[in-house]
Each structure stands twice: as C-alpha cells, then as structure tokens.
Amino acid sequence: MNLKTVVIIGSTGSIGRQTIEAIEKTNANVRLFEITGIAANRSDLFMQQLKQIRPKGYSFGKVLTDTDARYYADPCHLIEALQPDICVVASSGSQTLRFTVAALKHSSRVCLANKESLVMAGSLIKKIAREQNTMIIPVDSEHSSVFQLIQGERLEDIDKIYITASGGALRDWPVEKQKEATVEDVLKHPNWDMGQKITVDSATLFNKGLEVIEAVEFFGFDKERVKTALSYSSYIHALALFKDGSIKLHAGKPNMVIPIAYSLTYPERLLRDGDVELEMNKLNLRPMDVSRYPALEMAYGVLEGYNSKRITYNASNEVAVQLFLERKIAFTDIFKIVREAINQIDNEKIESIDDIIEYNEHVKKNTKEKWRGY
Ligand code: NDP
Ligand code: MG
C-alpha cells in the first residue's frame, strides 16, 4: 500500500480518537497513513491534537492561533481543499450529512462511521458514491461485520442477516422501572465506550433501529431480511444466513479500533494488536424481544414509508436524546416524542440532499418547540 492522506472529521470524539489510535498502530511498522486534516467543534482536546498531528488544515468552531495549520470554518471546505485519499466521517448527528457528501466528492475512500447520513439519505449517498467512483467502507461495527461476511458472496444467496445488540445499560431493568432511569444509569454502557448520544441510543435501542435502517440502505437488503439478536458480551457483531443452510458469524472483542483499521486498510488487514484469543464463553446469543423495544418496532415501521419518515425518526430522536441529557424529560418520553413526530408527518419522498437537510432542520425545530418546557 502506498502512503495515503487522511482527513478525520470529528477527531476529538470516540471514533475520531480511535481512528488516530488505529493509524498510529498501523503506521508502527511502515508509514501507511498521513493525517493531513482534522475537524471538530469545540473540545479542548483539539488543540492538543493539532500540536501532535501537525496537519496541513483544520476546521473548528473558532480560529486557533497557536498553529501553522490553515483554518477552514466549514469541514466541507477543509475536505475540498485537502482532497485526501481517505476521509473518515466520524462526527455525530444529522449535521454530518453535508460532510459525508463533501467526502464522497473529494476522496476516493470514505470510512463512514456516521450512521445518520445513511438513515437520512441512503440512496442519494450511494448514487453520489457511484457517480464519483468513491468507495464507502462502513465503520459501524455491525455493518463492518456484514461487509466482511458478504465479501465474495452473491447477495441473492443470502437469506437473512442478523446484527446484534448488547441491549444497553437498562437491558436487565423491568420495563415499568425504565421511566425512572437517570442520565447516569443510561450512560453506563456494559461493553462499549462511546459518545453520549449513541450510548443513550443503545439503551433505548434507537441505535439498533438506526442500524437496521443503515443496513437496509447500505447493503440493499429488504427489511424482512435484516434481523436483530442480543449478544450480551458484544462479542458477536453480525451473522449471515445463506439459502444453502450455511451460517457465517463475525465475532471479535468490542473494540472500534478493529473495524476502523479495517475500513482504512481494506482489502488488507494490517492492524497488529497482540494475540487474538477465542473467548468461547462469549459465543452465545439471545433472541430479541421486539415488544420490549418500541424503537426497533418503529424502525421497521418507518422503513415501509418514504424517507420523510426515516428522517423524522432520526431527527426527533436526536432532539429527544438532547432533552433527556439536559434532564428535561424522562427516559421513556424519548419513545413518546419520536412516535408522535412520526405519526404527525406526511409520508413523502424528499429528493435532494439540500431538501433533506432542510426537512431535517424543520423536524428538529418543530420537535424542540413542541417539547420545550414540557
Ligand atoms: P462523539 O460525541 O464522541 O464525538 C462527536 C465528534 O463530532 C466530536 O469530535 C465533535 O467535536 C465532532 N463534531 C460535532 N459537531 C461538529 C461539527 N459541526 N463539525 C465538526 N465536528 C463536529 O461521537 P462518537 O464518536 O460516539 O460517534 C460519532 C459518529 O459515529 C456518530 O454518528 C455515531 O452514531 C457513529 N458511531 C459511533 C460508534 C462509537 O463506538 N462511538 C460506533 C458506531 C457508529 P467536539 O468534541 O469538538 O464537540
Ligand atoms: Mg454499531
């Protein structure tokens, strides 16, 4: 592999930091990657990253003086100016859709962690990738696993895929007690160390709902063929069930550095991270009780409609999670807010990226106005 330039959008976040770690580890023997640009919003860690990495350019909420790197107010302009070989899109939230589109236009490979982009605009993203001849490699662990499971396979030979869920912090709580869950209870994820939003989504299972949509959009499976199961240890990430009766399973320790490194080095596997051991006691699954998790049921529901429903599912959840983190609503109000938002909007096809961004903002604004002071 020749030296590849990389821009990381969301460098200070959980995925961003682990991307830097994955690059340091894969660079340890032969220098394969050069980080030429980083982008974040407001974290103090960013200045330290600028000093350590010394990129050519950066994007941040404000101009920083103590650096030679060139400033770009908008991460899209950073990507456009640097034209990196690889862009890792690891910023959070629906705002990231714009950055994903810029990455698809100016890089030859996009390592896509941000699931919201695919949920909001999956078919358009794939269309832009085809037109630009850009490869998208999924970073989300379950989708990275499915991507690996289907290498060399024909999609028509696959009967179903399963993506797994840990069940999140409240998985052993009785449903009736969930309304009392505090922010601290919900942020104690049993297996993964992730950003706050996705940790809340793991407890509600909106994360799995978003991932079911992400899998349908990215791989093109019908929703009936995308199933979920519980892996309490998060050791099994995904399974593919083939029509000939074979089942392939993808497992590994819950460490995002592994799928991030794979997305950077695919089709090679160049990360070397100590001895790999088979943890046999973790190779078990439990059935998913969908009735316990309204977020999953709603995800399959919104997959029946046009993208207005999927955009609303994601946007209203984003607002609801923020309100929960600000301690303004109860944990179980998140379901109520999303359900009402979905029920209220029309089932429409939103055709362009700009219209999707506008629609998303409209849903977020309406949801905020409705539930503010509730
Ligand atoms: P974090 O909350 O930890 O990090 C978010 C990052 O986005 C931070 O670097 C933040 O910067 C940056 N950011 C926010 N707004 C902007 C902006 N306007 N411009 C540039 N950067 C911005 O999130 P995670 O790392 O957990 O998740 C990132 C994405 O990856 C999400 O879409 C999530 O769903 C997905 N994902 C995460 C997984 C995980 O294990 N964490 C697993 C699978 C997918 P700052 O810190 O300065 O505010
Ligand atoms: Mg995941």
Side-chain angles (χ1 to χ4, degrees):
M1 221 170 100
N2 301 327
L3 184 74
K4 298 266 192 313
T5 55
V6 182
V7 165
I8 306 170
I9 307 297
S11 60
T12 52
S14 161
I15 295 288
R17 285 179 272 119
Q18 292 179 88
T19 303
I20 295 168
E21 186 184 336
I23 289 179
E24 281 168 358
K25 285 185 168 154
T26 45
N27 273 355
N29 289 333
V30 184
R31 190 151 177 264
L32 298 170
F33 303 107
E34 180 193 350
I35 302 172
T36 53
I38 54 176
N41 185 29
R42 56 180 185 173
S43 163
D44 291 340
L45 174 66
F46 192 71
M47 194 63 228
Q48 201 180 312
Q49 290 185 338
L50 277 178
K51 283 194 174 135
Q52 263 164 17
I53 297 169
R54 302 175 61 89
K56 293 195 169 84
Y58 73 98
S59 177
F60 196 60
K62 59 178 186 208
V63 186
L64 299 166
T65 45
D66 201 11
T67 173
D68 299 335
R70 181 152 180 197
Y71 176 70
Y72 299 87
D74 185 341
C76 296
H77 296 152
L78 171 79
I79 300 168
E80 187 180 353
L82 295 180
Q83 304 269 330
D85 296 316
I86 301 177
C87 189
V88 179
V89 182
S91 47
S92 51
S94 49
Q95 60 188 336
T96 298
L97 176 58
R98 288 177 52 245
F99 313 154
T100 305
V101 172
L104 290 168
K105 291 189 176 157
H106 301 291
S107 294
S108 52
R109 172 177 304 201
V110 174
C111 301
L112 186 58
N114 178 269
K115 56 192 83 185
E116 295 87 341
S117 303
L118 280 169
V119 169
M120 295 163 72
S123 55
L124 284 174
I125 284 180
K126 287 182 69 180
K127 184 166 171 268
I128 299 169
R130 269 196 309 276
E131 284 167 1
Q132 303 282 332
N133 204 12
T134 304
M135 191 188 281
I136 308 176
I137 314 284
V139 168
D140 205 347
S141 57
E142 299 77 5
H143 304 75
S144 169
S145 296
V146 173
F147 183 78
Q148 296 179 53
L149 287 168
I150 65 175
Q151 291 299 308
E153 304 287 357
R154 301 184 318 159
L155 289 194
E156 61 264 39
D157 293 337
I158 297 175
D159 183 46
K160 290 183 199 71
I161 57 159
Y162 274 80
I163 56 174
T164 65
S166 69
L170 306 185
R171 65 190 180 193
D172 296 321
W173 285 45
V175 175
E176 325 75 71
K177 221 182 139 233
Q178 282 190 358
K179 61 177 182 303
E180 295 159 27
T182 63
V183 171
E184 288 73 22
D185 292 329
V186 172
L187 290 181
K188 271 185 227 138
H189 194 283
N191 306 326
W192 298 97
D193 179 14
M194 310 183 285
Q196 289 198 340
K197 157 74 168 50
I198 187 172
T199 307
V200 177
D201 285 349
S202 294
T204 53
L205 262 85
F206 270 103
N207 183 46
K208 216 43 55 180
L210 292 168
E211 289 184 358
V212 166
I213 303 171
E214 190 186 357
V216 168
E217 293 283 0
F218 187 76
F219 298 107
F221 293 120
D222 297 337
K223 67 179 172 38
E224 291 75 21
R225 293 166 68 202
V226 179
K227 305 277 184 199
T228 58
L230 287 164
S231 167
Y232 260 36
S233 56
S234 298
Y235 192 62
I236 302 178
H237 309 303
L239 301 98
L241 280 56
F242 291 85
K243 291 179 182 162
D244 68 354
S246 305
I247 297 175
K248 276 164 83 172
L249 170 160
H250 188 271
K253 56 187 173 191
N255 178 352
M256 287 305 296
V257 173
I258 303 169
I260 294 168
Y262 180 77
S263 75
L264 292 164
T265 66
Y266 165 85
E268 294 171 67
R269 290 180 188 275
L270 300 176
L271 179 70
R272 296 290 174 266
D273 202 12
D275 285 340
V276 57
E277 275 170 40
L278 181 59
E279 299 183 62
M280 294 189 200
N281 59 335
K282 293 186 176 167
L283 283 167
N284 56 339
L285 294 170
R286 298 168 192 230
M288 179 68 81
D289 177 4
V290 176
S291 67
R292 198 186 142 98
Y293 297 112
L296 258 184
E297 230 167 4
M298 282 190 260
Y300 284 100
V302 297
L303 274 166
E304 265 161 38
Y306 287 119
N307 58 350
S308 65
K309 295 271 180 188
R310 298 195 279 283
I311 298 165
T312 304
Y313 177 87
N314 178 57
S316 58
N317 177 53
E318 220 164 90
V319 172
V321 171
Q322 192 53 41
L323 290 172
F324 173 70
L325 288 170
E326 290 166 7
R327 296 166 204 271
K328 292 190 176 135
I329 58 164
F331 178 75
T332 42
D333 288 334
I334 300 175
F335 304 113
K336 189 167 145 189
I337 291 175
V338 177
R339 185 173 287 116
E340 285 196 17
I342 293 169
N343 288 343
Q344 269 164 16
I345 55 116
D346 293 330
N347 182 25
E348 302 173 56
K349 190 168 179 185
I350 322 283
E351 305 265 5
S352 72
I353 295 284
D354 286 345
D355 289 348
I356 289 173
I357 291 169
E358 196 184 316
Y359 193 88
N360 179 64
E361 288 312 313
H362 164 79
V363 174
K364 281 173 71 170
K365 184 166 164 277
N366 279 359
T367 314
K368 265 185 215 154
E369 273 169 13
K370 178 159 181 202
W371 297 96
R372 193 189 297 140
Y374 161 77

